[in-house]
Amino acid sequence: MSRLLNLPSELLARTFSYVNQSSLKSLRQSCRFISQLATDQLYRTVRLQPSKTSQNRLQEILNNPSLRRVPRKIYIDTVDESLNYDDEEEQKWPQGWENLVSQVKELPRLNAAVLCFDKGFTSDSTDHDYLHYEDFPQTPQFRFQAMHKLFSLLESLRHPIQDLGIRNLQADNPKDPKTLAKLGKVLSGLLSLRLSITSETNDAAPEHDLEYPEIRKFFKELPSTWLSPAAPSLQHLSLCSREYWGFYPHLDLSNLFFPRLKTLSLGNFCFFHDGQIDWILKHGDTLEEIYFDDCAVLYDFCMMEENVDACALPRDTLVRREGDESLYGSFEKRWHDIFDLFAERLPKLRHFRIGRSNWYSNIPFEQERDIKVGLYSNRYMCCYDGYGPSPYMEGEDPKDLANIENAWRPSPECDDEDRAALRKLLAKLGQSVQESYLDSYSGGRIVDLVQKRYGSAE
């Protein structure tokens, strides 16, 4: 024990961060010094859920003057696991939360908060052109009410939070001016912002998921509503969406600049023009880490006439191809080009991951380090508006995707070039990764960094 106590307290604290909850509870029964370290780790992060057990646990911490000083981060999880989706029961504000949530401001060292919502979302739109096929316990009214209450809490804290995360943020921004004002105040001064974005789905015809007006409007407003207020101070940005995004629905980041940005994480994002790469490169003076989770280069795309204005390219940059009334475009840059640009023009880059994390049960959240590095077949995709079950398509065999009659184009065949460029980038960063493995998330096999296509030889 004496040798342990001679270690620097910072090293001990770091070591204790890897100890499980049960062991930490046992260590609290040790000497005063060890007990304090274990207590600090055990209560550093607290959670509030609708259940009575969770409420009582947080209340005990709030009632204890010593424990009340420990928490730095709180997860406020609004999801009521006791509700049955099949009963179409609407969720209400949890009984007991009204008083308890207001007490959270009594945690003096709190500097991080994560708000969690249900992944199921249906908008409250009354537009008869867009049918709503499923209702979820968390109605839009519940979500907007919860956001107002929770941002009121964060606004009232003694010290502004530095780290904000929202899991399953609905692709439908609050409309109440008071809520938006509170949101802007909370965002101002943030060091870290993490958003996972859920949206309405049409199970009967999923190819129409991106036609709902809410998701289009949300991504158009994302820069001004969520990003601009935090831009001067933000160091870590994570954006992940249930749907592929960037092209359709369109997100334009060209007018945003984050002068202190160190970490950029994108999930389901699509690259389709040089300006997007240039936007990342202009953060070269500060950018240290990049994570691409299930992101794709859109090498070919088309939009139906009525949806052209919802995509990211001006109408006059798209062309018609023989035998098709849709408007087409293409992007010639490949992943090896992007890797080379990162190696050359991001001098402070220290860590890079491209591949896939676990999307099976929910939109990934706080899983950047779980991304398994690999060049998956869907790193190149096309977007052909009007086709289902999704306009976003990939080809296991590039030749299978070629459809001359419909003017479709085959996916790029550049595994060797992509592999070589990725290895070169990782070598420059001094970063080693596992190059061959069975991906438990998708069931695919990664061999020498590249996903083996079905039916291909070993």
Side-chain angles (χ1 to χ4, degrees), residues 127-140:
D127 191 332
H128 296 294
D129 290 336
Y130 302 97
L131 299 178
H132 306 291
Y133 284 88
E134 188 170 2
D135 292 322
F136 296 95
Q138 291 194 346
T139 64

Side-chain angles (χ1 to χ4, degrees), residues 76 78 93 97 115-117 121 138-155 164 166-176 178-180 182-183 186-187 195 218 225-226:
I76 301 178
T78 66
W93 190 246
W97 270 33
L115 314 180
C116 303
F117 293 97
F121 169 66
Q138 291 194 346
T139 64
Q141 292 78 11
F142 173 86
R143 287 173 174 266
F144 291 140
Q145 178 196 40
M147 291 180 72
H148 182 86
K149 290 178 180 291
L150 297 175
F151 283 122
S152 295
L153 162 67
L154 298 179
E155 182 189 34
L164 174 65
I166 304 183
R167 184 168 199 177
N168 293 322
L169 171 67
Q170 71 274 13
D172 191 6
N173 282 319
K175 303 168 184 64
D176 173 41
K178 292 182 179 179
T179 303
L180 290 170
K182 293 177 183 297
L183 170 61
V186 171
L187 292 171
L195 304 177
F218 174 84
T225 302
W226 291 94

Side-chain angles (χ1 to χ4, degrees), residues 281-300:
L281 295 175
K282 76 178 182 180
H283 293 87
D285 289 341
T286 59
L287 201 53
E288 298 177 1
E289 300 180 32
I290 296 177
Y291 301 89
F292 291 153
D293 191 348
D294 218 31
C295 293
V297 163
L298 279 189
Y299 67 90
D300 201 45

Side-chain angles (χ1 to χ4, degrees), residues 431-448:
Q431 181 180 337
S432 61
V433 299
Q434 184 178 359
E435 293 199 355
S436 299
Y437 56 88
L438 176 64
D439 181 11
S440 58
Y441 299 147
S442 67
R445 290 181 299 116
I446 302 297
V447 178
D448 295 332

